[in-house]
């Protein structure tokens, strides 16, 4: 949108004395192929500014197009992980959020469009990305609140079950339940997995 960079540069000037350097990001509209528009980050996300790593572990709400940051920030954490075919931005934000505060300009300053042929719509890449992020961020998952780690594991286990890998998916869901025994999300996914791979694929969508 026309004022995006102007507002972000104003934020850089306003918060220029903060150390470590903040990551300035904006809200955006996500448009799907059915022409439905959704504003992100949604009101359901509790922590959108400051140390947002716990919120990010529940799912990505920072689109690459919305971000303005110092080049040295991205260089210091190693840049994008090129082994990832999907969720490259999400994984990068997780590393940055360990060291830098995030500042939100809560306005829809970017339009993001998803098409049938985009990488973001390729569900076959989800599982590999979850597995790499899970293996790479064990320390982070051990440091956040158990219910946050449980949420991430529930999503991972859910996607394993969707892929037909019920045994591994149930094991991850059990780990999620150990961290948060009252998680309806984990309980529901685990219960559905007991009905078999065909039922899961027909009745659940990718998370």
């Amino acid at each position: 949108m026309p004022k995006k960079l102007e507002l972000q540069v104003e934020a850089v000037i306003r918060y220029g004395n903060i150390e470590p350097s903040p990551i300035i990001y904006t809200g955006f509209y996500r448009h799907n192929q059915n022409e439905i528009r959704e504003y992100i980050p949604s009101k359901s996300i509790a922590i959108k500014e400051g140390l947002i790593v716990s919120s990010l572990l529940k799912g990505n709400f920072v689109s690459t197009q919305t971000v303005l940051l110092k080049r040295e920030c991205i260089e210091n954490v190693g840049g994008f992980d090129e082994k990832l075919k999907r969720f490259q931005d999400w994984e990068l934000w997780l590393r940055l959020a360990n060291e830098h505060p995030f500042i939100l300009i809560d306005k829809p300053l970017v339009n993001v469009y998803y098409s049938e042929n985009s990488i973001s719509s390729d569900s076959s890449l989800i599982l590999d990305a979850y597995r790499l992020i899970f293996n790479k961020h064990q320390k982070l998952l051990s440091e956040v609140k158990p219910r946050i780690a449980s949420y991430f594991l529930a999503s991972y286990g859910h996607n394993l079950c969707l892929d037909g890998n019920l045994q591994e998916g149930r094991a991850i869901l059990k780990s999620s339940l150990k961290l948060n025994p009252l998680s309806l999300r984990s309980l529901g996914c685990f219960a559905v997995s007991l009905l078999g791979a065909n039922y899961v694929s027909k009745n659940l969508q990718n998370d």
Side-chain angles (χ1 to χ4, degrees):
M1 302 300 288
K3 283 190 167 289
K4 175 185 180 290
L5 287 177
E6 178 184 341
L7 292 172
Q8 286 185 296
V9 170
E10 288 176 358
V12 168
I13 295 171
R14 189 180 314 123
Y15 300 105
N17 294 325
I18 294 178
E19 291 292 340
S21 298
I23 313 299
I24 313 294
Y25 77 108
T26 78
F28 65 98
Y29 281 131
R30 180 169 64 187
H31 304 259
N32 68 20
Q33 55 203 29
N34 296 319
E35 299 184 357
I36 296 175
R37 187 178 74 175
E38 176 185 10
Y39 180 71
I40 298 174
S42 69
K43 293 181 180 180
S44 63
I45 298 171
I47 302 174
K48 305 174 187 177
E49 291 195 290
L51 303 177
I52 66 169
V53 69
S54 293
S55 293
L56 281 171
L57 279 170
K58 289 187 173 184
N60 188 26
F61 51 90
V62 182
S63 186
T64 307
Q65 305 95 318
T66 71
V67 173
L68 183 66
L69 74 167
K70 288 185 177 180
R71 179 173 177 172
E72 64 191 46
C73 297
I74 200 169
E75 290 178 338
N76 289 342
V77 298
F80 290 102
D81 188 334
E82 295 182 9
K83 294 189 295 293
L84 282 164
K85 302 300 182 184
R86 190 170 173 183
F87 297 158
Q88 303 96 327
D89 53 350
W90 183 26
E91 195 277 328
L92 175 61
W93 310 145
L94 286 171
R95 280 182 279 135
L96 282 167
N98 262 333
E99 303 180 20
H100 297 269
F102 277 60
I103 293 172
L104 170 65
I105 299 175
D106 200 2
K107 300 176 183 290
L109 298 177
V110 171
N111 287 296
V112 178
Y113 296 89
Y114 289 81
S115 67
E116 291 182 359
N117 298 320
S118 70
I119 291 175
S120 298
S121 65
D122 189 346
S123 60
S124 66
L125 302 177
I126 291 178
L127 195 54
D128 286 343
Y130 261 108
R131 183 175 284 112
L132 190 148
I133 292 172
F134 173 70
N135 291 330
K136 189 172 182 176
H137 291 285
Q138 288 290 309
K139 184 175 184 293
L140 176 59
L141 288 167
S142 69
E143 292 173 345
V144 297
K145 294 180 179 179
R147 61 180 178 81
I148 301 298
S150 172
Y151 194 103
F152 176 87
L153 292 174
S155 294
Y156 179 30
H158 167 75
N159 281 284
L160 281 164
C161 291
L162 281 172
D163 193 58
N165 193 338
L166 296 181
Q167 184 175 359
E168 186 180 358
R170 287 175 190 147
I172 295 295
L173 289 169
K174 284 181 180 178
S175 298
S176 175
L177 285 166
K178 286 181 181 179
L179 292 171
N180 185 10
L182 300 179
S183 170
L184 296 178
R185 179 186 181 84
S186 302
L187 285 168
C189 290
F190 186 83
V192 171
S193 76
L194 297 176
L195 299 175
N198 288 336
Y199 187 89
V200 172
S201 65
K202 290 180 180 178
N203 292 276
L204 292 180
Q205 297 179 343
N206 282 336
D207 192 345

